Amino acid sequence: KAGVTQTPRYLIKTRGQQVTLSCSPISGHRSVSWYQQTPGQGLQFLFEYFSETQRNKGNFPGRFSGRQFSNSRSEMNVSTLELGDSALYLCASSAPGAGANVLTFGAGSRLTVL
Amino acid sequence: GQQLNQSPQSMFIQEGEDVSMNCTSSSIFNTWLWYKQEPGEGPVLLIALYKAGELTSNGRLTAQFGITRKDSFLNISASIPSDVGIYFCAGQLPGAGSYQLTFGKGTKLSVIP
């Protein structure tokens, strides 16, 4: 069974640009969550999607957005990039019956903003 | 925002030794989870705890959900080199979504063969 797949694994952008990250969840998983991981702040919740609807949102500015498609694949977008957006962006998928709160993470997309 | 205070930040231990790490908070949590992250990978779930006082084992790992619901600990017995990594505690606050977890800053474990 394939795990959570995130693309691209690494990318470099400059300030002011925008970026789109993609996540393919485990087959059958309908919930997709996104987290930002930085050395200073650790892992912080961005948002969670289920059946193409955003169910929960963390405390991030509106420059951070996401969406989910009918096949459960998800994308997140960051517009007007700032240096502080450099981070590892982790996607995780979840399935009912797998245990409450159980997240299966992908390997992440490492974004560097110059 | 809510914080989980995880300690120690890092540990250097000899292979075969036991390890203990913990997380505390001023807030009550509904759930406590422990994850391990290795370089270049995402966190992997080790143990999930759902009831105050619950003690759960997974091989050499044992974790407990504190009675006050404000803390949790993870013990690793007889450490081996593959235990190296960063261990994170995480919890679900009351009112938060099921997958809207609050994470500690991590304990970096190094094992000396």
Side-chain angles (χ1 to χ4, degrees):
Chain A
K1 196 174 186 182
V4 178
T5 303
Q6 293 188 245
T7 57
R9 288 294 308 276
Y10 303 92
L11 66 167
I12 300 173
K13 294 284 187 178
T14 56
R15 279 180 297 175
Q17 287 187 312
Q18 66 99 24
V19 67
T20 299
L21 308 177
S22 179
C23 172
S24 293
I26 292 172
S27 178
H29 287 198
R30 295 169 61 192
S31 170
V32 173
S33 303
W34 288 89
Y35 283 78
Q36 181 196 65
Q37 185 175 25
T38 60
Q41 299 299 315
L43 281 127
Q44 293 187 288
F45 174 79
L46 282 157
F47 26 65
E48 185 234 341
Y49 287 86
F50 180 83
S51 291
E52 302 178 66
T53 300
Q54 186 182 89
R55 287 205 293 198
N56 293 286
K57 188 178 191 305
N59 189 25
F60 278 82
R63 299 185 298 107
F64 292 81
S65 63
R67 60 177 176 168
Q68 187 180 33
F69 303 94
S70 59
N71 62 358
S72 295
R73 191 177 69 84
S74 177
E75 289 181 347
M76 67 162 284
N77 184 276
V78 188
S79 62
T80 320
L81 284 165
E82 301 176 0
L83 295 178
D85 297 333
S86 294
L88 181 66
Y89 290 88
L90 292 161
C91 168
S93 70
S94 312
N101 317 114
V102 173
L103 293 166
T104 302
F105 285 91
S109 292
R110 184 166 294 282
L111 170 66
T112 301
V113 181
L114 302 176
Chain B
Q2 303 297 335
Q3 284 191 328
L4 288 180
N5 302 307
Q6 188 170 349
S7 64
Q9 282 188 313
S10 63
M11 306 179 72
F12 287 84
I13 61 168
Q14 292 281 348
E15 183 177 355
E17 287 185 347
D18 296 343
V19 173
S20 184
M21 59 191 79
N22 68 81
C23 272
T24 61
S25 175
S26 58
S27 301
I28 288 174
F29 281 82
N30 287 344
T31 307
W32 285 93
L33 305 102
W34 286 89
Y35 282 85
K36 177 188 177 186
Q37 186 175 27
E38 298 183 26
E41 302 294 331
V44 174
L45 179 68
L46 299 173
I47 292 179
L49 303 156
Y50 298 107
K51 292 182 184 178
E54 181 180 353
L55 182 72
T56 296
S57 293
N58 178 8
R60 295 179 295 106
L61 278 59
T62 302
Q64 184 159 29
F65 191 143
I67 290 290
T68 65
R69 296 171 62 194
K70 294 182 179 181
D71 63 334
S72 177
F73 72 74
L74 174 70
N75 288 341
I76 304 173
S77 62
S79 59
I80 58 179
S82 62
D83 290 334
V84 166
I86 302 177
Y87 292 78
F88 293 96
C89 62
Q92 180 198 10
L93 287 163
S98 290
Y99 307 114
Q100 185 175 0
L101 302 180
T102 301
F103 279 80
K105 293 288 180 70
T107 294
K108 186 174 183 179
L109 178 64
S110 300
V111 179
I112 304 166

